[in-house]
Amino acid sequence: QFDPQQWNNRNTIVHLFEWKWDDIANECENFLAPKGFAGVQVSPVNENVIVYDRPWWERYQPLSYKLVTRSGNEKQFADMVRRCNNVGVRIYVDVIFNHMAADNSHAVGTAGSRAVPETKDFPAVPFSSWDFHPSCDIYNYNDPNQVRNCELVGLKDLDQGKEYVREKIVEFLDHLVELGVAGFRVDAAKHMWPADLDVIYKRIKNLNTQHGFAPNSRPFIVQEVIDLGGEGISKYEYSDLGAITEFRFSAEIGKAFRGNNDLKYLRNWGEEWGFLESHKALVFVDNHDNQRSHGGGGNDILTYKQDKNYKMATAFTLAHPFSITRIMSSFAFEHSDQGPPQDSQGNLLSPVIYSDNSCGGGWVCEHRWRQIYNMVGFKNQVRGTGVNDWWDNGKNQIAFCRGGEGFIAFNLENYDLNKEFQTCLPAGTYCDVISGDKNGSNCSGKTVVVGNGGKANIYIGAKEYDGVLAIHKGSRL
Ligand code: QV4
Ligand code: CA
């Protein structure tokens, strides 16, 4: 369950937060596959309660396991999975089975189901009060019993120790596997007992060979466990069961690229920083919670709103060999409850795609920023190599090679970087994939001339639009 089941020449996941299934299918074919993305994490697929004003978080309050949400219905979901798999882009589903919807005396869902969460009555599954833990609040995160058996912000807490509950959950997950998904992001894993999760994960079917998965492939599992230290529950209680969302990475990378911790310290980036082992850690600069101050990470988190620093942090994340990487793709927001772009009836709007690859219509599409998608290509190019020829100026300028496949330099100082470097690349002229795109033998950005012996002069001005420069074998002109 640690293998993300990706095509072997690709390795980055993008979270297309709140996108519609039809739009994701198009995106797989038109953009993600050609740019070398390996997979998409999609928003929850099962029916959720309709909340007044339609905030994004209504999708984290399930009413049933029917595959009908604002993103589309089951047919649209199945179509999307098929179309994405056909072009080598895997689908990972955000699944919520710690709980159902929170208190409400007459809830109506996105598939038209009705429920009475107040009395724990969810006839569309069906679940009744018997399937839930007794109600209590979580206020002490140092008490594992409370965190796992009480209600996270009032969300009715399922008892995964019960056989019937396990069956319903596995039925739901198996259904998704049949439709061709490659794995799951398990929401609120910290709020469930590892022993129960172990039983559930082991029961899930093997991946569907009709979607190109090898026989006996197991679904990839990444568990949402926020562990920044100092709580009663540790990520290590879950890390033998599946991968973990490594929130420490998000906090530390934000701190470094905000200029609050010298970049030179990134020299030993990885497990020595208290992160999980590389193959168990799913990492990200920000996620859908901490970009809006939900969940963990606090003020260190970088988002699209600090664009220069954000792109640098993302470039470092993708340039470094550590871990499984996920890119956040957001909608623009002013306040933390604000819903995704939608019309007055609450229908989700599609992103507007411009000819320069960027998008609009209220969507940010970080994954369509040149500095980000070109680094996805960089990461694919340098796969299998380590970090070598590390250089730093003792503060906030760093550079390194990835074997003989790629070279990257960062300048977070308020003075220019202008220096000769060992790039580890064969002699030739290369296109910097941060400031431009390579198009045949043309480069729309800066070019770097590498001489015999791999040396090249690298310049990144302090006032430049981006504080990073990256070249690799695939960007040779
Ligand atoms: C309100 C009060 C509560 C009260 C409750 C009573 O605030 O004190 O107990 O009413 O009914 C929304 C509202 C929240 C409201 C709740 C119930 O924001 O104010 O509680 O609904 O009506 C998302 C959002 C939450 C949202 C939730 C459900 O972040 O704000 O709550 O969806 O719609 C911890 C966990 C971690 C979690 C993280 C946010 O360990 O697991 O908090 N992260 C995941 C998801 C996240 C999601 C959930 C878990 C829940 O990534 O997006 O929460 O599925 O760190
Ligand atoms: Ca629980």
mmCIF file of all heavy atoms in Angstrom, residues 98 133 148-150 157-158 191-192, ligand 2:
data_model
loop_
_atom_site.group_PDB
_atom_site.id
_atom_site.type_symbol
_atom_site.label_atom_id
_atom_site.label_comp_id
_atom_site.label_asym_id
_atom_site.label_seq_id
_atom_site.Cartn_x
_atom_site.Cartn_y
_atom_site.Cartn_z
ATOM 1 N N ASN A 98 -14.239 8.258 8.817
ATOM 2 C CA ASN A 98 -14.190 8.413 10.270
ATOM 3 C C ASN A 98 -15.563 8.791 10.797
ATOM 4 O O ASN A 98 -15.927 8.449 11.911
ATOM 5 C CB ASN A 98 -13.184 9.511 10.643
ATOM 6 C CG ASN A 98 -13.261 9.888 12.112
ATOM 7 O OD1 ASN A 98 -13.022 9.058 12.990
ATOM 8 N ND2 ASN A 98 -13.658 11.135 12.392
ATOM 9 N N HIS A 133 -20.006 5.871 17.725
ATOM 10 C CA HIS A 133 -19.573 6.042 19.118
ATOM 11 C C HIS A 133 -20.559 6.980 19.803
ATOM 12 O O HIS A 133 -21.142 7.843 19.148
ATOM 13 C CB HIS A 133 -18.177 6.674 19.166
ATOM 14 C CG HIS A 133 -17.077 5.752 18.750
ATOM 15 N ND1 HIS A 133 -16.187 6.065 17.734
ATOM 16 C CD2 HIS A 133 -16.711 4.524 19.203
ATOM 17 C CE1 HIS A 133 -15.320 5.062 17.593
ATOM 18 N NE2 HIS A 133 -15.619 4.126 18.464
ATOM 19 N N ARG A 148 -10.026 9.553 19.142
ATOM 20 C CA ARG A 148 -10.521 8.511 18.242
ATOM 21 C C ARG A 148 -11.985 8.132 18.450
ATOM 22 O O ARG A 148 -12.639 7.662 17.517
ATOM 23 C CB ARG A 148 -9.650 7.272 18.367
ATOM 24 C CG ARG A 148 -8.291 7.512 17.723
ATOM 25 C CD ARG A 148 -7.288 6.506 18.186
ATOM 26 N NE ARG A 148 -6.025 6.656 17.492
ATOM 27 C CZ ARG A 148 -4.861 6.258 18.004
ATOM 28 N NH1 ARG A 148 -4.817 5.721 19.198
ATOM 29 N NH2 ARG A 148 -3.761 6.418 17.304
ATOM 30 N N ASN A 149 -12.489 8.336 19.660
ATOM 31 C CA ASN A 149 -13.854 7.885 19.936
ATOM 32 C C ASN A 149 -14.855 9.013 20.095
ATOM 33 O O ASN A 149 -16.050 8.758 20.232
ATOM 34 C CB ASN A 149 -13.883 7.019 21.199
ATOM 35 C CG ASN A 149 -13.098 5.723 21.016
ATOM 36 O OD1 ASN A 149 -12.779 5.347 19.888
ATOM 37 N ND2 ASN A 149 -12.777 5.063 22.101
ATOM 38 N N CYS A 150 -14.392 10.244 20.114
ATOM 39 C CA CYS A 150 -15.316 11.365 20.231
ATOM 40 C C CYS A 150 -15.470 12.043 18.876
ATOM 41 O O CYS A 150 -14.904 11.599 17.879
ATOM 42 C CB CYS A 150 -14.833 12.345 21.302
ATOM 43 S SG CYS A 150 -14.930 11.654 22.969
ATOM 44 N N ASP A 157 -19.430 10.221 14.820
ATOM 45 C CA ASP A 157 -18.232 9.382 14.763
ATOM 46 C C ASP A 157 -18.532 7.896 14.616
ATOM 47 O O ASP A 157 -18.988 7.241 15.554
ATOM 48 C CB ASP A 157 -17.416 9.634 16.045
ATOM 49 C CG ASP A 157 -15.970 9.264 15.860
ATOM 50 O OD1 ASP A 157 -15.344 9.785 14.913
ATOM 51 O OD2 ASP A 157 -15.473 8.419 16.642
ATOM 52 N N LEU A 158 -18.249 7.363 13.445
ATOM 53 C CA LEU A 158 -18.486 5.942 13.181
ATOM 54 C C LEU A 158 -17.564 5.074 14.038
ATOM 55 O O LEU A 158 -16.425 5.455 14.326
ATOM 56 C CB LEU A 158 -18.231 5.639 11.698
ATOM 57 C CG LEU A 158 -19.326 6.099 10.729
ATOM 58 C CD1 LEU A 158 -18.801 6.066 9.287
ATOM 59 C CD2 LEU A 158 -20.578 5.221 10.870
ATOM 60 N N HIS A 191 -8.035 9.988 13.721
ATOM 61 C CA HIS A 191 -9.236 9.861 14.545
ATOM 62 C C HIS A 191 -9.825 8.456 14.502
ATOM 63 O O HIS A 191 -10.942 8.234 14.953
ATOM 64 C CB HIS A 191 -10.270 10.908 14.126
ATOM 65 C CG HIS A 191 -9.741 12.307 14.285
ATOM 66 N ND1 HIS A 191 -9.816 12.999 15.473
ATOM 67 C CD2 HIS A 191 -9.060 13.107 13.429
ATOM 68 C CE1 HIS A 191 -9.235 14.184 15.320
ATOM 69 N NE2 HIS A 191 -8.756 14.268 14.094
ATOM 70 N N MET A 192 -9.048 7.518 13.939
ATOM 71 C CA MET A 192 -9.489 6.115 13.912
ATOM 72 C C MET A 192 -8.365 5.255 14.496
ATOM 73 O O MET A 192 -7.193 5.626 14.450
ATOM 74 C CB MET A 192 -9.806 5.697 12.468
ATOM 75 C CG MET A 192 -10.982 6.491 11.881
ATOM 76 S SD MET A 192 -11.451 5.986 10.223
ATOM 77 C CE MET A 192 -10.422 7.042 9.213
HETATM 78 CA CA CA B 2 -13.281 8.439 15.273
#
